[in-house]
Amino acid sequence: MSAPSEETVRAEVRAWLEANWDPSLSLVEWRGILADSGWGVPHWPEDWYGRGLPQALVPAVEEEFQRIDAVGVAKVGIRMLAAATLLEHGSDMHKEKFLRRILTGEDTWCQLFSEPGSGSDLAGAATRADLKDDKWIINGQKVWTTSAHHAQYGLLLARTDWDAVKHQGLSYFVLDIEQPGVEVHPLRQMNGHASFNQVFFTDAVIEPEFQVGELGEGWKIATTTLMHERRGADALRSWAQVSQAEGRCYEDARAEVVTVMEPYKWYPQRAGRVDLVLERARESGAIDDAVTRDEIAKLMIMAKSAEWTARRARAAQLQGRPQGPEGSLGKLASSHVARAAARVHTSLSGADAMLTGSDGERDGVIAEILVSAPATSIAGGTDEIQRNIISERVLRLPKEPRTDTDRPFRDVPRNTVS
Amino acid sequence: MSRFAFSDEQDAFREVLRRFLEEVSPPSEVRRLMEEEAGYDPAVWRRMAEELGLTSVHIPEEYGGQGFSLGELAVVLEEMGRALLCSPFFATAALATTAILNAGTEQEKRELLPGIATGETIATLAFTEENGRWDAAGVETVARQDGNVWRLEGTKSFVLDGGIADLLVVLARLEGTDGENGLGFFTVAGEAEGVARTGLQAMDPTRKLARIAFAGAEAQPLGEVGQAAAAFARTLRQAAALLANEMVGGAEKLRESAVDYANLRVQFGRQIGSFQSMKHRLADMLLEVELAKSAAYYAAAAAAEDDAALPAVAALAKASASEAYLQTAITTIQIHGGIGFTWDNDTHLWFKRAKSSEVFLGDGAHHREAMMANWHLMEAGDET
Ligand SMILES: Cc1cc2nc3c(=O)[nH]c(=O)nc-3n(C[C@H](O)[C@H](O)[C@H](O)COP(=O)(O)OP(=O)(O)OC[C@H]3O[C@@H](n4cnc5c(N)ncnc54)[C@H](O)[C@@H]3O)c2cc1C
């Protein structure tokens, strides 16, 4: 089946919106209608709230929404990683139970992968899942869990077999966060926000039907989640762009931004806010300073080439060509952009770079860039891990000799401190 | 001391300082003080003055000081940067005292310095304004003579410890002058009438900044009014050399913590420090920090000896330290992974100091330009 043209799709979504968009509906009601129509996530399969369109056409659909300020489905954050993973590996029951509520925004999800002892080395997870009386009993600890403090469900990577080698002893589950055996403690970050958490499990329970995939397939499924994460599927790009117009739907959407999204206010800042650079340079006149101008030029070259690399990937996909290496490249490029942008914003601020909060430039937004940019090269897999992936999987260089995959996991050296 | 080695006495002094600062400024104290408005511990300040004579290190003996050089002051600051000491010391010693020494008459030095030497007077230098410029041309605050008294009109900003200083050394200008002409230093009591001080929200909470508005505040001239340009320029260079030393102290501390963590942390069944890419990063970090240290030490010695090339050397050192400290801080966070991004991990405290120091007294580009403009002074020869 060949994909419809962009014009056809634009015309279709425009007509549908004309007939259905109603800002007086509640946010959940509207998103329900939208989910059922397939226009909320048009690249999803037709059986599951989508229209089976290629990913590359999604921006066109989004533009049509933006054109009339129509509110979209909830698609920021870990929820999209959960959805992508469940679409690929979940049972029909999982899809039925979870997908729609993900899109309406009724449920929030978190990713319970990293642990104090295993971050880059995710397959070293030591949280245990033991089958007792036909239920999975979970014990252990996760950390850096974004959203856990307001999530209903978590994607859990846990060890089910300690005698198997590392990658084969893991299984993947959907965990109900709201139960007595789960304790969530927010962690404060260096920028003062608290969007990630420590999560402790003490005999937390998972019904067997909430295992995802087969026993021992946890690593493989986690890889799907991570791949989507590295492609930026969880980006919070559009979070703040709710229209100020009147109508129940807008009001609900604005309330969602204020409450649910509060801890993530800093997410756009961690990417470097390249969008603010030229505007600031023009305002202050720094655009005419040869040194600053050159720094800005270098940043713009980096940012634009990164954007166009992502566009090339999308175009290739539209043509049905195989996925290239852009996934890991994009993430690595974004770290470079964030660092360079923080540097340029510093020099544009001059002495004001020393100030923060309401005394800082742009009400503290610039200061927030400076203290948030370091997250970009750590979250979602560090730059070093991206480079390992690129060199070993894309460039096919010889693999690093490993000493942790040739023996039962229980015999692998682990952190004595963490 | 040559420019390439510390003397045994200096090394011994450093040892004493390090032990003292480890005792009085562990990260838990840094965290306590950075949340407070005053941002320093008066009891520690007293011990610094009385037990160690730090507030009087480079004040000549005739004004109640110990008569050491800027070289010893640089050692003190390097150790304070390492410990991230929260204290009005840089403001008092490196900025205000230095300005008084450079600008004041014999009589004024006799009046002002003994109080600083004993630790009684906390002082600062107020020269930057809201335009954020680090040079004479940025000064807009005006000094007017009103009968026999001088009065100041204008607003200073980014004043280090300006909120608590007892004594403000203020750079102002005569009406109708600009650039390097018509500049004058003045002293004003922090609590004087017509002085309004507002704390600024600093990104680096270990270093307090204030905005100070002067509305006809009465001021005493320091040195000859209208002729302060040379003393100001000299003060800035000395302060830049001193700040570079404080910065490399912090950078070295971060570098050590990065190596420690790389030795400790296990991923993939081995210490992360065993990965070659990690080793290379740590080796590069050592290189950057050592280069910056060499520049900072050289600049401190040049300042101590009043080398004619100081305008170039101090700028070189500050530019080098600005890059090295921030880069080291960024890499140290990276090597710590997720933990490095948390509030509870101490790395961000030094990261924020690196950021504020990068900018304070002018950023890397500012000093690279200053260095090039003064490079001819280097060409006379730099082998001492
Ligand atoms: C803002 C933020 C949000 C996050 N959200 C989540 C979340 O929602 N869910 C979740 O599960 N996790 C989350 N994380 C965790 C994140 O994925 C981990 O922090 C990251 O993968 C690094 O793991 P670590 O912190 O254990 O560091 P480590 O793995 O201990 O790494 C320490 C250092 O060692 C380096 N290193 C490790 N292995 C190698 C190697 N083989 N070669 C070279 N260098 C190596 C790393 O690059 C790093 O510099 C989040 C992190 C941040 C900062």
Side-chain angles (χ1 to χ4, degrees):
Chain A
M1 187 191 79
S2 78
S5 76
E6 187 176 315
E7 289 70 51
T8 321
V9 170
R10 276 187 194 270
E12 262 183 86
V13 65
R14 215 176 284 188
W16 185 84
L17 279 171
E18 215 153 289
N20 294 278
W21 165 234
D22 178 0
S24 69
L25 295 173
S26 79
L27 184 63
V28 170
E29 261 177 297
W30 159 244
R31 281 175 171 167
I33 295 170
L34 186 52
D36 295 333
S37 77
W39 284 116
V41 274
H43 55 304
W44 284 17
E46 283 177 84
D47 290 348
W48 300 106
Y49 312 104
R51 305 182 73 88
L53 292 180
Q55 176 93 42
L57 285 172
V58 173
V61 174
E62 282 176 350
E63 275 167 34
E64 291 304 320
F65 275 71
Q66 281 156 15
R67 213 174 44 79
I68 59 161
D69 272 339
V71 176
V73 290
K75 53 183 159 187
V76 284
I78 311 288
R79 62 179 65 252
M80 283 293 118
L81 306 184
T85 308
L86 293 177
L87 276 171
E88 202 164 324
H89 299 284
S91 66
D92 281 357
M93 183 276 281
H94 296 151
K95 294 177 194 168
E96 203 123 351
K97 182 170 164 69
F98 298 123
L99 293 179
R100 198 168 184 278
R101 291 176 60 91
I102 285 178
L103 297 175
T104 57
E106 287 163 285
D107 289 339
T108 291
W109 286 64
C110 64
Q111 182 190 44
L112 297 159
F113 286 6
S114 303
E115 299 186 7
S118 60
S120 295
D121 180 20
L122 272 184
T127 290
R128 46 188 321 136
D130 298 296
L131 200 53
K132 276 186 202 138
D133 302 330
D134 201 30
K135 286 184 199 316
W136 289 104
I137 306 299
I138 314 299
N139 283 285
Q141 186 198 340
K142 296 287 173 178
V143 74
W144 323 131
T145 317
T146 304
S147 296
H149 55 302
H150 59 205
Q152 281 73 39
Y153 296 102
L155 302 168
L156 174 72
L157 187 62
R159 190 154 303 275
T160 42
D161 185 349
W162 295 70
D163 295 313
V165 296
K166 197 167 193 168
H167 297 79
Q168 263 130 57
L170 296 166
S171 300
Y172 200 105
F173 303 90
V174 170
L175 173 93
D176 182 352
I177 302 280
E178 293 167 338
Q179 59 166 305
V182 178
E183 235 181 281
V184 178
H185 297 295
L187 280 170
R188 194 172 176 202
Q189 294 137 198
M190 65 178 272
N191 59 8
H193 293 278
S195 51
F196 58 33
N197 304 269
Q198 288 173 294
V199 184
F200 298 92
F201 311 111
T202 314
D203 293 331
V205 180
I206 298 178
E207 299 293 335
E209 61 269 29
F210 292 110
Q211 179 187 320
V212 181
E214 298 297 315
L215 203 60
E217 266 191 352
W219 179 249
K220 190 183 97 185
I221 300 169
T223 309
T224 304
T225 316
L226 291 173
M227 209 177 57
H228 284 279
E229 181 172 18
R230 283 163 194 169
R231 288 201 194 130
D234 63 333
L236 293 183
R237 264 173 266 131
S238 52
W239 73 273
Q241 292 158 8
V242 182
S243 155
Q244 291 304 311
E246 277 176 38
R248 169 85 192 273
C249 198
Y250 289 126
E251 282 155 28
D252 288 356
R254 285 195 292 268
E256 181 181 56
V257 168
V258 171
T259 53
V260 184
M261 305 303 276
E262 212 289 325
Y264 315 105
K265 263 187 174 159
W266 61 283
Y267 267 50
Q269 276 68 272
R270 81 178 192 190
R273 295 304 299 269
V274 176
D275 59 314
L276 295 179
V277 165
L278 284 169
E279 195 177 301
R280 295 187 68 217
R282 286 193 194 108
E283 264 171 36
S284 69
I287 190 90
D288 297 321
D289 170 70
V291 175
T292 314
R293 197 176 168 85
D294 189 55
E295 289 287 325
I296 293 174
K298 284 190 254 178
L299 170 64
M300 287 310 176
I301 292 170
M302 204 187 277
K304 276 291 160 200
S305 332
E307 185 191 322
W308 291 334
T309 305
R311 296 284 288 271
R312 266 174 64 206
R314 229 193 286 148
Q317 198 189 29
L318 191 58
Q319 291 170 310
R321 297 190 186 158
Q323 174 84 35
E326 333 72 36
S328 288
L329 285 183
K331 180 154 189 330
L332 196 52
S334 68
S335 300
H336 288 289
V337 170
R339 262 194 305 273
R343 200 184 155 91
V344 169
H345 278 301
T346 303
S347 62
L348 288 177
S349 302
D352 282 334
M354 295 191 291
L355 303 181
T356 187
S358 50
D359 284 340
E361 295 257 299
R362 307 245 161 173
D363 222 15
V365 165
I366 303 303
E368 197 157 274
I369 296 171
L370 309 183
V371 294
S372 300
T376 305
S377 49
I378 299 170
T382 66
D383 277 8
E384 288 71 28
I385 294 306
Q386 303 314 318
R387 290 193 186 97
N388 286 345
I389 292 172
I390 293 166
S391 56
E392 294 185 359
R393 301 209 197 128
V394 180
L395 299 175
R396 308 237 170 252
L397 288 163
K399 285 212 191 279
E400 184 82 10
R402 286 187 74 158
T403 53
D404 59 332
T405 48
D406 60 352
R407 63 194 81 175
F409 181 74
R410 60 171 83 252
D411 299 330
V412 173
R414 277 183 280 150
N415 285 287
T416 43
V417 285
S418 55
Chain B
M1 170 189 166
S2 87
R3 296 186 180 189
F4 309 107
F6 290 100
S7 67
D8 290 345
E9 290 75 20
Q10 286 173 324
D11 282 341
F13 181 45
R14 183 190 295 283
E15 268 310 299
V16 172
L17 282 167
R18 188 165 296 187
R19 247 177 293 133
F20 172 74
L21 290 165
E22 276 168 6
E23 179 204 327
V24 301
S25 183
S28 55
E29 273 303 287
V30 174
R31 285 173 183 274
R32 180 177 73 82
L33 293 169
M34 75 185 195
E35 301 292 353
E36 294 187 358
E37 208 177 301
Y40 81 109
D41 183 338
V44 170
W45 181 259
R46 228 169 294 126
R47 287 183 64 192
M48 283 161 60
E50 289 163 15
E51 280 174 36
L52 295 158
L54 300 183
T55 46
S56 62
V57 165
H58 77 307
I59 295 178
E61 285 166 69
E62 59 265 41
Y63 311 122
Q66 307 204 52
F68 289 110
S69 74
L70 289 175
E72 280 74 24
L73 180 57
V75 173
V76 175
L77 285 167
E78 187 183 357
E79 290 305 314
M80 288 179 178
R82 178 184 174 85
L84 207 62
L85 178 71
C86 295
S87 162
F89 186 81
F90 193 90
T92 302
L95 294 174
T97 303
T98 305
I100 294 168
L101 284 168
N102 289 331
T105 62
E106 186 59 28
Q107 171 68 21
E108 287 156 3
K109 289 190 229 178
R110 281 190 192 285
E111 267 167 36
L112 298 170
L113 293 174
I116 292 180
T118 59
E120 218 164 290
T121 308
I122 290 174
T124 190
L125 177 63
F127 65 105
T128 331
E129 306 199 351
E130 282 175 313
N131 59 39
R133 293 186 61 156
W134 303 103
D135 57 6
V139 175
E140 290 170 23
T141 297
V142 166
R144 273 192 206 97
Q145 213 163 6
D146 171 9
N148 326 338
V149 298
W150 287 91
R151 296 191 183 279
L152 302 181
E153 270 316 321
T155 302
K156 295 289 172 183
S157 195
F158 310 104
V159 183
L160 218 54
D161 299 301
I164 54 156
D166 308 302
L167 177 72
L168 310 172
V169 178
V170 185
L171 186 63
R173 64 167 63 254
L174 296 170
E175 230 166 347
T177 65
D178 59 12
E180 307 226 310
N181 298 315
L183 293 174
F185 277 118
F186 294 86
T187 55
V188 183
E191 299 290 341
E193 218 170 296
V195 177
R197 312 197 268 185
T198 318
L200 292 169
Q201 300 172 58
M203 147 175 302
D204 166 17
T206 67
R207 193 102 107 181
K208 304 299 178 189
L209 297 171
R211 186 188 302 124
I212 309 182
F214 298 93
E218 193 177 323
Q220 284 69 48
L222 177 70
E224 198 179 334
V225 176
Q227 302 297 319
F232 173 57
R234 191 172 139 93
T235 303
L236 271 189
R237 283 173 211 137
Q238 291 168 335
L242 292 166
L243 182 56
N245 279 271
E246 189 200 275
M247 291 167 80
V248 298
E252 170 116 334
K253 171 76 182 176
L254 284 176
R255 183 194 63 71
E256 288 171 13
S257 77
V259 173
D260 287 348
Y261 193 72
N263 269 310
L264 209 68
R265 175 73 171 164
V266 174
Q267 289 291 276
F268 304 97
R270 52 198 263 204
Q271 289 141 293
I272 56 172
S274 72
F275 293 112
Q276 207 161 50
S277 64
M278 186 64 73
K279 287 179 184 157
H280 289 182
R281 275 199 101 151
L282 289 165
D284 283 342
M285 216 170 168
L286 178 66
L287 175 66
E288 277 168 42
V289 175
E290 288 299 322
L291 293 180
K293 276 166 68 182
S294 302
Y297 295 166
Y298 188 93
E305 293 163 25
D306 215 1
D307 187 324
L310 187 63
V313 173
L316 185 157
K318 172 64 170 66
S320 171
S322 291
E323 299 285 326
Y325 196 1
L326 187 68
Q327 189 51 53
T328 303
I330 290 172
T331 310
T332 302
I333 290 176
Q334 182 67 19
I335 287 174
H336 280 78
I339 283 192
F341 194 62
T342 60
W343 188 266
D344 284 350
N345 184 270
D346 294 328
T347 309
H348 75 99
L349 306 177
W350 273 266
F351 174 92
K352 288 169 186 169
R353 177 66 77 83
K355 200 79 219 170
S356 72
S357 308
E358 177 197 13
V359 172
F360 191 65
L361 302 181
D363 66 6
H366 172 92
H367 284 284
R368 284 190 291 273
E369 177 52 39
M371 181 191 83
M372 292 311 288
N374 289 292
W375 193 259
H376 58 279
L377 301 172
M378 301 280 282
E379 315 209 283
D382 60 1
E383 67 281 15
T384 304

